[in-house]
Amino acid sequence: MALKDLYTHLTPIQRVNIARHPNRPTCLHHIFNITEKFVELHGDRGGYDDPAIITGLGSINGRSYMFIGQQKGRNTKENIMRNFGMPTPHGYVYMEVVYTIMGCPAGPGLKAVVCTIAFQDA
């Protein structure tokens, strides 16, 4: 039976149990599995570094990409450190700034390509 068929026939409570499973893959898990290299970026020390928001640069097949996602912890200590995966208002402001910068056209003669893969770890 294919994995797609398996998930098609789940009951609603089985779907909830899978979504809430403590060993479910996280944002960082996905990023580390699809990138050859990943460098996590943090705040500029003048602002706020939201522990629930993961940002960084990674390479896939020699091309660089920017990753943005939410990260929860695996245990109580990590969940407290990551604010249970809930971004603060500062984290949302940072994400808006990133999307605004990415939405700007490149200057004359420049070809800027920025690809963002956003994972949400609910």
Side-chain angles (χ1 to χ4, degrees):
M1 181 186 303
L3 193 58
K4 183 177 180 182
D5 293 333
L6 177 69
Y7 282 98
T8 302
H9 301 295
L10 293 176
T11 65
I13 193 65
Q14 288 172 322
R15 290 175 190 253
V16 169
N17 287 336
I18 289 171
R20 295 182 178 171
H21 195 279
N23 292 328
R24 181 173 166 231
T26 64
C27 179
L28 283 175
H29 175 85
H30 289 297
I31 291 172
F32 287 134
N33 279 316
I34 64 173
T35 60
E36 292 120 25
K37 292 182 182 177
F38 179 71
V39 177
E40 189 173 344
L41 302 176
H42 292 278
D44 62 359
R45 293 179 277 178
Y48 181 76
D49 185 22
D50 195 323
I53 301 292
I54 299 294
T55 58
L57 300 172
S59 62
I60 303 172
N61 296 328
R63 296 187 67 184
S64 295
Y65 297 90
M66 180 169 193
F67 294 85
I68 303 171
Q70 284 179 258
Q71 180 72 19
K72 285 172 55 174
R74 290 266 185 222
N75 54 41
T76 303
K77 183 178 178 181
E78 288 179 13
N79 273 323
I80 291 170
M81 184 189 83
R82 296 278 185 192
N83 195 31
F84 293 87
M86 296 181 294
T88 63
H90 296 93
Y92 286 113
V93 169
Y94 175 73
M95 288 179 73
E96 289 174 5
V97 170
V98 170
Y99 288 122
T100 302
I101 291 170
M102 288 180 2
C104 295
L110 290 176
K111 291 185 178 180
V113 178
V114 178
C115 179
T116 299
I117 301 173
F119 294 100
Q120 181 166 353
D121 183 21

